[in-house]
Structures are given as structure tokens and as C-alpha cells.
Amino acid sequence: MKQRIVLFLRYALYWILFSIIARIVFAFYQWQLSSTLPVKEWLLSFLHGLQHDCSLAGYIMVPVGLAIIATFFIITTKWIHSALKIYTRILTGLFILVWVPNLELYRNWGFHLDVSVLSYLKTPKEATASTSVWTYLLLMLICVAFYVLYDLIARKLVFRYVKKLKPVSLFYLPVWLILVAALIIPIRGGVGIAPVNAGTVYYTSAPFANHLAVNPVWNFLYSIEKKESNDESYNLISDQVMKAKIAGLYHGSGQFPVVLNTKRPNVIVFLLESFTAKIIEPLGGKPGVTPNFNNLCKEGILFDNFYASGDRSKKGIVAVLSGYPPLPKNAIISFFQKTQRIPSLAKVLNNRGYNSSFYYGGDLHFASMNSYILNAGFHQIITRDNFPRKDYNSKWGVHDGILLNQFYNDINQSKRPFFKALFTLSSHEPFDVPMKTAINGSSEDNRFMNSAYYSDQCLGEFIRKAKQSSWWKNTLIILVADHGTRYVGGSSNADQIRYKIPMLWIGGALKTKGIRITKYGDQPDLAGTLLPQLGLSARSFVFSKNLLDPQQKGFAFYDYENGFGFLTPHSEQSYDFTGKNYITNKCDSGKTDETTWKAMIQYIYKDFLKR
């Protein structure tokens, strides 16, 4: 009996060591973040993380405990040696395939791998385009090295003790049954009423310290279970309070200055990949990264306090073109049936006689973008498939220079009035742009800025040619980013600076130029601000406000993996639903109001359910 208990405990220790070693490697891989933590926080993260580690080990131990029960009845125990080796090596391999990719995904996304990554497997080439060959080689090397290491630990700690098992009296069977049943304690995270969840290991307001405590394998399996149960709910306040708060947020006078010299201009929307405010000098960003954009700010309408609705392209595109914000963990772009029932700028302008088209130099099947763009109603969709293979000079497809050159040529042949949207890609990882390096340095920040410099260069060349065209004088061009980025100074998922992006209106159709709008707004506000200028109703864009309406209250709302941010000129709040705590909660008056953000997220949630 003692041999079996020792084996059982050794096997549990193996899986706890697996998690601890994985956490150590994760901490060093994310050194830019973990180096900011004091030693005490490292220790606390590991200590709190044991709840996830033990819960994962508990699940794994159940089949092993049942197998050991079988040895009470089977005379020979050689079979369990083979079975345990196969079971251990399969699970070790599978867990490594979750844990190792998580190292790089977390570095780019700011949250642990979860079930949402499965949506990217439909387009594996595009999903992997952000990562360099050297990174892949490093990750493969880590996979192999740790599989060998874990197998060696298993041999020393577990396997060689299995063959030593001897027959045992059935007298001890009840004791063993109790021991296996007791696994429910580590699995549930203790004897309390509430079982362990993703936020159980959170212990501080510092996001990375909490994320370090999370077990990536446990988190991935938990996210699958939560996806299946579909029990995410944002019913936080009464509907009466929600409606009152929302009415106040979106109330406007309906009066606004007209900034266009025509109600029927051509409209071009540039979705600029990752163009964070951190690289736009007029918005306080680093000088010299986007010189063309900076100069254009002097001849248009610049929105000073404008924010992305989320942290991914699939959120930003829908927010800009449909005025529809995402929910934490639920971007509507992933729901084909729902995207059919939301408005879009293309649909509205099509009904006004516009000729619409969408341009992207990559594969639109990535992240469900294809189904959304089709549902958005664009008459024509141009992707990398419309270019010859010789033009594929990016891992994603064709770089911005080639795309914008084709875009310009197509506009010259286009029926007018036209509505065109173009999504750039060159400033996306891995930042391999086809030009002589303008911003030197091998750091990720410098490589990103260099790629943004290239995109800005391509944009500047397009604008220079456009100004000489026959269609320029009757055209409004809107430059807006799809989302911000962690690059340039580093910023966590909760930091408001990560979501601050530019929105700039330029073009010959503007009669008001060289002004700056200081009101707080976000991507869904594009529709509510643009359509009234064209004499069109924006009523169907229920999350969109007119940033030119002087009585319209300014605010911005953004979300990330399982949290949100809410900004006004006088307050800043960010909240983590996993840890159920504020990351930031401050107000000029010293008194913050949480019913407003609750009303906002509940309003989005209820609309999402009925779509």
C-alpha cells in the first residue's frame, strides 16, 4: 500500500513540477515585463499559481488513481508501467504544444492562449505570418528540449518505481477509494463553495503578476469549457438604470457644424494597421516616424482623443465600418449570422448610389474577415488573390506600396461617387518592409516604427498623386487605425495609451481645415459623425455618437481579453472581469461612477444577444 501512495504522490509532484518549470520559463521569456516585478511578487505569483497547478494535476491524477485501483485485482502490474508511460508522454506532448506557443502569443497579445485561438487555425499561413523563422526555430527547440527534460524527470521520479509495485490486500481498497475521491479538493481548488476559476489565482492589481500566476494549460482547458457552457453574462444593473445612463451618454442636440463643401463626396476610409498615437507627433507621439501623416494633420480635421474599441484587427474593422463595438471574449465578426444584421457604411452609401469596394493586400479569410466584409455589402472586394504571384513581397501578401498603387489606378477608373475602404498590412509583424531601413535598431519597437515609416511613406505618395487627380476636389479621406499596439514604450492590455489612435479627415471635399477636435470618442463614432455630414441618418448605428455635436458628451470605451476601459475628459477606469478588480479607477472629482461603464457593457451585451 505504501508503494502505491508513494507512486501516486510522485506522479502528482511530476505534474506540479511541470507547471512550475513552465512558469519559470514563461517569466524569463517575458523578461521585459517580469523584470519590473520585485522578487516578492515573483514568489507570490508562484505561490498563488499553485492553485491552478494542483487543479490541473488533480484532473490528470483521476485516471491514474483508477488504474492503481485496478492493480488490487490484477496480479501482474507490468501493464500499468506501459500504460502510465504512454499516458504521461501523450499528455506531456499535448501540454507542451499549448504551453510553448503561449510564450510568443502572450508576448504579442497580452493574454494567455485560450479557445479564441482556434478560430485562427482555419487560415494557418496567415495566423503564423506574424512570427519570424528564427522565433519558430526557437520555439521548436524549446519544445524538443522540454519534452526531453520532462521525459527524463518522469523516468527518474515515476517510471522506475512502477515496476516495484507488489500485490496488495483488498483490505486497503477503501482507503485508496477515499484517496482518489479526495482529488476533488485540488480539482475544485479547495473545500469552499466556489470552484477554482481563471481569477482565483489573481491577488494584486498588477496585471502581469496575475498573469504569471495563471497556468496556461489549465487556462486553455478552462476557456474551452466556458465556451461550451456559454455562460458569459453582463447583466450588471437593472434595465431601467441602464437605459437612463445610455440616454445620457448618447444625448446630442442634433446640431453640428458642416465641415464638407458637398453632401455627396467620394469617401475613402484608410484602416491603418497598428497606427498607434504613440508614433503620431501631433498627438504627442515620437517624432519622425510618420512624417507624411504629421504634415497632413495641418490640413485636415484631427481628432485628438480618439480610441480603438479593441486590441485586434477583427474588432477594429467592425467598429469602424459598422459602428459596432466588441465584447470581452466575443467579437461579433466571429458570428456570421449576427454580422448579417448589423449596419455598415457600405450598405448605407450603396443605397445612396455609391459604388463601394474594399481593398486588402492579404487573405481576407483570416480571422473571419471575409464573411464580415461580404455581409457589409461592398460591391467589390480586392485581396492578394487579385495580384500576380510576383507581387507577393510580404508574408501576408502584397505590401502597401503595391496595394496603394493599384488602389490609385482603380480609383481613376471608378464610377462616382464611390466609397472605398482600404486596410493596410505592412506595419504588422514581422515588419519586413521592402525599403532601405529608415529607423535603425533591431528591437521590436524600432522594427515596428520602421515598418510604420514605410506605410506612412506609401500613404504620402498616394496623397501626393491624389491631389493631382480629377477626383480629389470632391473626395473626403478618413485615416484611422484598426487598433493600437503594445510597441513603443510597452503597454499592458489595460493601459489606455495602448488604445489611443489617430483619426484624421483630409481631402478636397473639406471646407473646414486645420482644426482639432478634442472631444473623447472611439471607432464606432465614425458613422455617427460622417453620415450626418452627408445628410444621412446614423440612427441604425446605435453605438455611434456625433463628435461634431457640441452637446454630445465625449467618452471612449474599449475592451480587451476579459476587461474594458472607459474614458471621459475627467475620469479613467479599467476593469478586469477575471480578477474582478479595477486596474485603474480615478476621477478628477475623486468620486468615480461605476454604473456608467456597467450600463455601457450591458447595453452592448443585450444588443449582441438579439442580433
Side-chain angles (χ1 to χ4, degrees):
M1 183 64 178
K2 179 181 177 181
Q3 293 172 326
R4 283 164 173 76
I5 292 176
V6 170
L7 173 63
F8 196 67
L9 294 177
R10 281 177 173 272
Y11 195 64
L13 179 61
Y14 167 78
W15 287 109
I16 292 173
L17 284 174
F18 180 104
S19 298
I20 291 174
I21 294 171
R23 187 172 286 108
I24 292 171
V25 175
F26 175 81
F28 280 98
Y29 199 92
Q30 317 298 336
W31 183 250
Q32 185 178 9
L33 294 171
S34 58
S35 61
T36 63
L37 297 179
V39 174
K40 177 184 176 182
E41 294 301 320
W42 277 58
L43 295 175
L44 287 173
S45 293
F46 277 68
L47 179 63
H48 286 271
L50 281 174
Q51 279 190 285
H52 276 180
D53 302 343
C54 291
S55 178
L56 179 64
Y59 282 109
I60 296 168
M61 295 301 296
V62 171
V64 176
L66 296 176
I68 292 177
I69 288 174
T71 65
F72 281 78
F73 303 95
I74 302 173
I75 296 176
T76 176
T77 58
K78 290 182 179 180
W79 65 272
I80 196 174
H81 180 263
S82 299
L84 193 62
K85 284 203 297 186
I86 293 171
Y87 178 69
T88 304
R89 286 169 175 166
I90 289 175
L91 285 186
T92 299
L94 291 175
F95 289 0
I96 285 175
L97 291 178
V98 172
W99 164 57
V100 174
N102 180 71
L103 297 174
E104 184 66 17
L105 289 174
Y106 182 90
R107 197 168 65 88
N108 289 312
W109 291 359
F111 59 87
H112 286 294
L113 184 150
D114 61 19
V115 70
S116 66
V117 77
L118 299 179
S119 65
Y120 293 97
L121 298 182
K122 300 174 185 176
T123 52
K125 184 177 180 181
E126 286 68 33
T128 57
S130 302
T131 308
S132 69
V133 173
W134 291 111
T135 301
Y136 278 117
L137 291 175
L138 174 61
L139 295 177
M140 289 174 64
L141 181 62
I142 293 174
C143 281
V144 173
F146 278 91
Y147 189 85
V148 172
L149 172 64
Y150 286 133
D151 192 64
L152 178 62
I153 294 173
R155 288 170 182 268
K156 298 289 186 182
L157 191 64
V158 181
F159 296 157
R160 64 178 181 173
Y161 289 91
V162 179
K163 292 181 179 180
K164 296 180 180 181
L165 293 181
K166 297 178 181 179
V168 66
S169 171
L170 289 174
F171 175 79
Y172 296 104
L173 182 59
V175 177
W176 195 261
L177 290 171
I178 293 172
L179 181 61
V180 173
L183 288 172
I184 192 65
I185 296 175
I187 286 173
R188 295 188 76 258
V191 294
I193 296 175
V196 64
N197 57 57
T200 299
V201 299
Y202 280 32
Y203 68 96
T204 177
S205 60
F208 181 72
N210 290 329
H211 295 171
L212 181 57
V214 172
N215 184 304
V217 175
W218 187 94
N219 181 74
F220 179 69
L221 297 174
Y222 179 75
S223 74
I224 293 176
E225 185 274 328
K226 291 293 285 184
K227 181 75 173 179
E228 293 301 319
S229 64
N230 195 30
D231 63 353
E232 290 290 348
S233 175
Y234 299 102
N235 290 311
L236 306 172
I237 54 178
S238 71
D239 282 356
Q240 184 178 6
V241 172
M242 177 196 75
K243 290 175 181 178
K245 286 289 182 181
I246 293 301
L249 282 175
Y250 286 98
H251 174 73
S253 66
Q255 304 298 315
F256 51 87
V258 176
V259 299
L260 301 180
N261 53 36
T262 174
K263 287 190 175 182
R264 200 172 167 82
N266 304 308
V267 179
I268 299 174
V269 174
F270 278 98
L271 282 153
L272 304 172
E273 172 65 54
S274 302
F275 258 53
T276 171
K278 292 186 280 186
I279 59 171
I280 308 298
E281 190 172 355
L283 295 177
K286 284 185 174 292
V289 182
T290 57
N292 291 286
F293 194 106
N294 297 344
N295 288 330
L296 290 172
C297 290
K298 302 171 187 175
E299 56 186 75
I301 301 175
L302 179 64
F303 294 78
D304 280 354
N305 294 296
F306 196 75
Y307 290 82
S309 289
D311 53 353
R312 312 296 296 169
S313 298
K314 66 181 184 180
K315 299 177 180 180
I317 289 174
V318 181
V320 168
L321 299 180
S322 288
Y324 206 91
L327 284 165
K329 293 186 176 293
N330 272 324
I332 199 169
I333 198 171
S334 301
F335 300 84
F336 179 80
Q337 295 84 351
K338 290 181 181 292
T339 57
Q340 296 180 91
R341 297 190 284 270
I342 61 175
S344 77
L345 289 173
K347 289 177 183 176
V348 172
L349 295 177
N350 287 348
N351 291 334
R352 185 81 187 279
Y354 277 70
N355 172 45
S356 62
S357 54
F358 183 90
Y359 283 70
Y360 177 55
D363 183 358
L364 269 184
H365 290 91
F366 182 62
S368 302
M369 287 196 294
N370 186 59
S371 62
Y372 166 69
I373 295 300
L374 288 170
N375 282 336
F378 285 95
H379 292 139
Q380 185 184 34
I381 300 173
I382 304 297
T383 70
R384 68 179 187 182
D385 295 337
N386 298 94
F387 291 84
R389 294 288 300 182
K390 65 180 179 62
D391 288 341
Y392 286 25
N393 57 349
S394 163
K395 289 185 72 174
W396 290 94
V398 298
H399 269 298
D400 295 346
I402 293 175
L403 180 67
L404 284 170
N405 186 59
Q406 183 65 49
F407 187 54
Y408 175 78
N409 292 335
D410 288 352
I411 290 176
N412 288 333
Q413 314 275 331
S414 183
K415 177 184 175 183
R416 301 168 193 173
F418 56 73
F419 170 60
K420 296 184 181 295
L422 182 143
F423 182 27
T424 67
L425 60 71
S426 295
S427 47
H428 196 292
E429 298 95 336
F431 314 131
D432 55 347
V433 291
M435 72 168 189
K436 183 179 179 181
T437 300
I439 298 177
N440 295 311
S442 59
S443 71
E444 287 184 318
D445 282 4
N446 287 342
R447 288 170 55 228
F448 162 69
M449 288 190 290
N450 189 66
S451 69
Y453 185 96
Y454 168 76
S455 291
D456 177 76
Q457 185 181 81
C458 298
L459 178 64
E461 178 60 25
F462 173 86
I463 298 297
R464 279 189 287 274
K465 291 191 296 185
K467 287 179 176 179
Q468 306 303 314
S469 71
S470 61
W471 46 266
W472 171 261
K473 64 181 180 180
N474 195 47
T475 299
L476 170 66
I477 297 178
I478 298 173
L479 306 174
V480 61
D482 64 333
H483 56 74
T485 181
R486 66 181 175 88
Y487 298 119
V488 189
S491 48
S492 75
N493 271 4
D495 291 342
Q496 62 91 5
I497 189 59
R498 181 167 181 157
Y499 300 88
K500 189 173 183 180
I501 59 173
M503 183 167 77
L504 173 66
W505 291 17
I506 59 172
L510 279 179
K511 71 175 183 181
T512 304
K513 302 180 181 181
I515 64 173
R516 300 176 74 150
I517 307 300
T518 60
K519 185 171 295 182
Y520 276 65
D522 48 30
Q523 288 169 325
D525 296 333
L526 173 57
T529 307
L530 171 65
L531 293 179
Q533 293 290 323
L534 309 182
L536 300 173
S537 172
R539 187 174 300 172
S540 61
F541 297 82
V542 296
F543 302 103
S544 194
K545 55 189 181 289
N546 190 341
L547 297 180
L548 298 177
D549 185 331
Q551 289 191 24
Q552 174 66 64
K553 291 184 178 179
F555 70 89
F557 183 88
Y558 63 82
D559 77 12
Y560 49 96
E561 174 58 9
N562 200 22
F564 80 92
F566 188 79
L567 305 169
T568 74
H570 308 291
S571 65
E572 177 184 345
Q573 294 170 300
S574 58
Y575 186 84
D576 190 309
F577 280 105
T578 302
K580 293 181 174 57
N581 66 296
Y582 284 97
I583 306 301
T584 306
N585 188 17
K586 56 188 179 182
C587 181
D588 290 351
S589 66
K591 183 179 180 181
T592 57
D593 172 23
E594 68 174 25
T595 58
T596 303
W597 70 255
K598 286 182 177 180
M600 187 65 196
I601 200 165
Q602 185 168 313
Y603 184 48
I604 300 171
Y605 172 66
K606 286 187 174 293
D607 189 88
F608 175 83
L609 289 181
K610 71 182 183 183
R611 292 289 177 175

